Amino acid sequence: MVLAESARKVQKELQARGIEAKVLELPDSTRTAVEAAQAIGCTVAQIVKSLVFRGAASGKAILIEASGVNRVNEKAVAEILGEAIVKADADFVREKTGFAIGGIPPLGHATEMGAVLIDEDLLQYGTLWAAAGTPHAVFSLTPAELVKISNGKVVSIK
């Protein structure tokens, strides 16, 4: 099966970083954490939600890798970053990541993120699942691999 162009880009990026993961394209949507968990057969908590925010003062893209069951506490994140954050719109997300909302992977972005934060709750699982460039593509990885490929800082986002 031939992967979609965005999914191929993610697969190449994984290989370039020495990650053995294989991108899978599924017939069912993986656009939301609940849909992804249902399609994969894992818990919603094992889904890595790649959420893009914009620094309110700096305008920089902020990537938050959150467990599928958690909501981002924007005030807590603002304290960590030293600036308020606002939810980014679809155009900003595509411009900064190169991917559409619902398929944003934790690596291979079009531009460097201003900051990458990883939800500490993700570290309790042996296997995580992340989007791979489209709302139907995913790959599995370990928490250590997530930290490595995203170069993120592990924090409490709640």
Side-chain angles (χ1 to χ4, degrees):
M1 176 172 164
V2 176
L3 294 174
E5 183 180 339
S6 291
R8 280 197 314 271
K9 179 181 173 185
V10 173
Q11 185 68 71
K12 287 179 185 175
E13 192 70 31
L14 287 165
Q15 290 170 336
R17 296 189 191 201
I19 304 296
E20 301 275 329
K22 181 164 177 54
V23 171
L24 306 173
E25 283 190 307
L26 304 174
D28 296 325
S29 173
T30 60
R31 181 174 166 77
T32 69
V34 171
E35 289 174 347
Q38 289 171 345
I40 295 163
C42 68
T43 68
V44 177
Q46 290 174 272
I47 301 297
V48 178
K49 295 190 294 190
S50 293
L51 305 171
V52 178
F53 290 82
R54 184 175 47 80
S58 68
K60 292 181 178 178
I62 309 298
L63 179 65
I64 299 179
E65 304 292 358
S67 170
V69 295
N70 289 344
R71 289 188 53 88
V72 174
N73 179 330
E74 293 178 28
K75 288 183 178 165
V77 170
E79 285 184 28
I80 293 166
L81 296 175
E83 84 171 307
I85 60 169
V86 295
K87 192 82 167 154
D89 67 23
D91 290 338
F92 182 88
V93 170
R94 184 175 284 283
E95 174 191 337
K96 298 300 182 184
T97 68
F99 300 97
I101 292 171
I104 302 166
L107 76 167
H109 304 129
T111 63
E112 188 173 337
M113 298 291 111
V116 179
L117 303 178
I118 300 171
D119 182 350
E120 66 185 5
D121 288 355
L122 289 169
L123 275 55
Q124 66 186 303
Y125 301 101
T127 301
L128 302 172
W129 290 88
T134 80
H136 290 275
V138 295
F139 66 96
S140 67
L141 72 169
T142 66
E145 289 171 331
L146 177 62
V147 172
K148 176 184 173 183
I149 66 173
S150 67
N151 198 27
K153 178 180 179 182
V154 178
V155 298
S156 173
I157 62 148
K158 297 187 288 186

